[in-house]
């Protein structure tokens, strides 16, 4: 299999795009009321973190402040304080919502290092969403004006961002994402080294949201139920013809407000034995919905909407064909890389027994398969050469 385009450091998966995709993924969910199913969009399913990320990045990369304090005297000799707006003052009016956001979702998500730093500094300064109304407002408890509290926040973020502790956390989070991407990339390349063609199916498996007696939409599915249903799905595959020709999978567990817990799945089937990816994806989705979850589960079959993807990396993919080079590149650089890179910015808090990622076992080689293709070995060597850290790979949550 050609290595060109498989391992690249693409710049277009920026934090802004990742956050946008995270919000979109969680915003669209299905609700089931009185056996009627509707697709709903709710942008409040996940916290809006991209502006906070940008705010902290600006603090880290500049020496700007929010306001400059000036004491002025009137003709009658009365002194007053005014504040001159500086470059970072444009964020002042947003700080209330930033604080409210990070406090509200702190029990659910693990934030990026930048957003976590913002949260920690707010807690240390005992800031609340009730503050930051006007720069001139004065708090007797703090003996500070709101403009000064804002400057205190900026200063504390800047000081803490320069510590070795923060830099190490930032580096470790990025390294974990890179290692995870390489681990999953190697797993899929192993599949391609054994099978000349793979039918790649991308599914989202979740649950229908419901409405309580007051009409409030919610998801009541627990992590224990999600874990049990997922295990049942893959334990049953040994006796289910739908999975007869499946040779591997990658799964990622995520969470989103009213959407609740849901899985992103990439399934790999023998391309020589199965061909209708949309049909097969629907069969698996219906099996999840009607059998595994007894009618409470929902699904989305990405293969049924392939035309909407700018970087298509699913469907039938040949391991060697130059015509499929773009599909292979997109599979590694977008489909897999997106799943791993999102961990840098937002991931759900789970118990010690729960894993965010899981995969199938290593592919079984035929006795006459011999050594892997030279191009595959070259890809492995390149991946090893690009490795940035020797720490062991963490496959947990």
């Amino acid at each position: 299999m050609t290595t060109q385009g498989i391992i690249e450091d693409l710049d277009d998966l920026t934090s802004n795009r990742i956050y946008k995709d995270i919000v979109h993924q969680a915003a669209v969910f299905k609700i089931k009321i009185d056996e009627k199913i509707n697709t709903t969009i709710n942008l409040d399913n996940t916290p809006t973190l991209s502006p906070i990320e940008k705010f902290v990045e600006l603090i880290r990369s500049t020496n700007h402040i929010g306001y400059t304090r000036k004491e002025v005297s009137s003709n009658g000799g009365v002194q007053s304080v005014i504040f001159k707006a500086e470059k970072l003052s444009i964020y002042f009016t947003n700080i209330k919502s930033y604080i409210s956001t990070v406090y509200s979702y702190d029990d659910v998500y693990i934030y990026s290092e930048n957003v976590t730093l913002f949260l920690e500094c707010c807690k240390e300064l005992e800031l609340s969403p009730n503050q930051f109304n006007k720069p001139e407002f004065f708090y007797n408890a703090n003996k500070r004006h709101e403009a000064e509290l804002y400057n205190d926040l900026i200063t504390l973020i800047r000081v803490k961002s320069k510590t070795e502790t923060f830099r190490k956390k930032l580096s470790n989070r990025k390294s974990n994402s890179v290692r995870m991407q390489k681990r999953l990339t190697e797993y899929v390349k192993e599949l391609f080294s054994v099978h000349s063609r793979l039918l790649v199916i991308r599914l989202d498996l979740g649950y229908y949201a419901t409405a309580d007696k007051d009409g409030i939409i919610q998801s009541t599915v627990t992590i224990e139920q999600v874990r049990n249903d997922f295990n049942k799905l893959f334990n049953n595959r040994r006796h289910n013809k739908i999975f007869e020709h499946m040779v591997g999978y990658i799964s990622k567990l995520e969470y989103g407000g009213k959407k609740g817990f849901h899985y992103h799945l990439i399934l790999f089937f023998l391309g020589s034995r199965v061909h209708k990816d949309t049909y097969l994806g629907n069969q698996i989705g219906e099996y999840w919905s009607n059998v595994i979850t007894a009618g409470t589960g929902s699904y989305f079959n990405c293969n049924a909407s392939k035309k909407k993807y700018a970087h298509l990396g699913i469907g039938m993919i040949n391991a060697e064909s130059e015509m499929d080079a773009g599909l292979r590149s997109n599979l590694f650089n977008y489909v897999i890389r997106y799943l791993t890179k999102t961990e840098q910015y937002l991931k759900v808090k789970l118990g010690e027994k729960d894993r965010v990622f899981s995969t199938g076992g290593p592919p079984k080689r035929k006795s006459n398969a011999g050594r892997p293709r030279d191009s595959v070995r070259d890809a492995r060597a390149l991946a090893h050469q690009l490795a940035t850290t020797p720490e062991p790979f963490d496959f947990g949550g």
Side-chain angles (χ1 to χ4, degrees), residues 8-11 13 53 57 60 111-114 166-182 337 340-347 386-389 391 393-394:
E8 298 176 2
D9 186 16
L10 302 181
D11 295 327
L13 287 181
E53 191 85 36
E57 280 294 330
R60 292 176 53 204
Y111 301 127
S112 73
E113 303 315 315
N114 281 336
F166 175 80
R167 291 177 178 175
K168 187 174 182 179
K169 288 180 179 178
L170 197 66
S171 176
N172 287 345
R173 179 75 70 95
K174 184 175 181 180
S175 296
N176 282 338
S177 174
V178 171
R179 286 198 301 272
M180 192 174 293
Q181 181 196 353
K182 290 177 180 177
R337 186 164 177 253
T340 58
K341 195 170 178 63
T342 53
E343 291 298 280
Q344 288 182 237
Y345 300 104
L346 188 68
K347 59 182 179 180
L386 292 176
T388 57
T389 175
E391 287 101 2
F393 175 78
D394 180 7

Side-chain angles (χ1 to χ4, degrees), residues 216-229:
I216 298 175
I217 299 173
Q218 59 185 347
S219 173
T220 58
V221 178
T222 65
I223 184 62
E224 289 78 16
Q225 181 180 341
V226 173
R227 186 196 309 126
N228 291 337
D229 287 344

Side-chain angles (χ1 to χ4, degrees), residues 118-258:
F118 175 83
L119 173 63
E120 290 174 349
C121 291
C122 287
K123 288 182 175 181
E124 184 170 330
L125 294 172
E126 299 182 344
L127 303 180
S128 80
N130 297 325
Q131 298 169 322
F132 301 100
N133 299 290
K134 288 187 178 181
E136 300 82 11
F137 279 11
F138 184 81
Y139 285 91
N140 286 323
N142 303 96
K143 298 188 182 303
R144 308 284 280 171
H145 291 83
E146 288 190 346
E148 295 172 308
L149 291 177
Y150 183 60
N151 284 344
D152 292 344
L153 175 61
I154 292 172
T155 299
L156 187 58
I157 289 174
R158 185 170 287 135
V159 169
K160 285 183 173 291
S161 71
K162 294 178 181 179
T163 63
E164 183 64 26
T165 299
F166 175 80
R167 291 177 178 175
K168 187 174 182 179
K169 288 180 179 178
L170 197 66
S171 176
N172 287 345
R173 179 75 70 95
K174 184 175 181 180
S175 296
N176 282 338
S177 174
V178 171
R179 286 198 301 272
M180 192 174 293
Q181 181 196 353
K182 290 177 180 177
R183 174 72 173 261
L184 299 182
T185 296
E186 286 301 312
Y187 171 69
V188 178
K189 285 191 294 181
E190 285 283 349
L191 293 175
F192 273 116
S193 73
V194 175
H195 309 291
S196 60
R197 280 187 302 165
L198 291 174
L199 189 70
V200 184
I201 295 176
R202 172 80 161 72
L203 282 175
D204 293 340
L205 302 180
Y207 298 84
Y208 294 116
T210 57
D212 63 15
K213 61 181 181 180
D214 297 319
I216 298 175
I217 299 173
Q218 59 185 347
S219 173
T220 58
V221 178
T222 65
I223 184 62
E224 289 78 16
Q225 181 180 341
V226 173
R227 186 196 309 126
N228 291 337
D229 287 344
F230 184 76
N231 290 339
K232 188 191 303 182
L233 175 72
F234 280 92
N235 289 337
N236 288 2
R237 73 183 188 272
R238 300 180 183 89
H239 312 289
N240 191 323
K241 286 195 173 183
I242 298 176
F243 300 100
E244 181 179 2
H245 302 297
M246 192 177 84
V247 294
Y249 74 89
I250 294 172
S251 73
K252 183 185 179 185
L253 177 62
E254 291 190 356
Y255 179 86
K258 295 177 175 62

Side-chain angles (χ1 to χ4, degrees), residues 354-374:
D354 301 303
R355 291 183 175 182
V356 173
F357 283 93
S358 64
T359 69
K364 297 179 180 179
R365 293 187 176 277
K366 297 178 181 179
S367 58
N368 61 351
R371 300 174 66 189
R373 298 181 181 94
D374 289 344

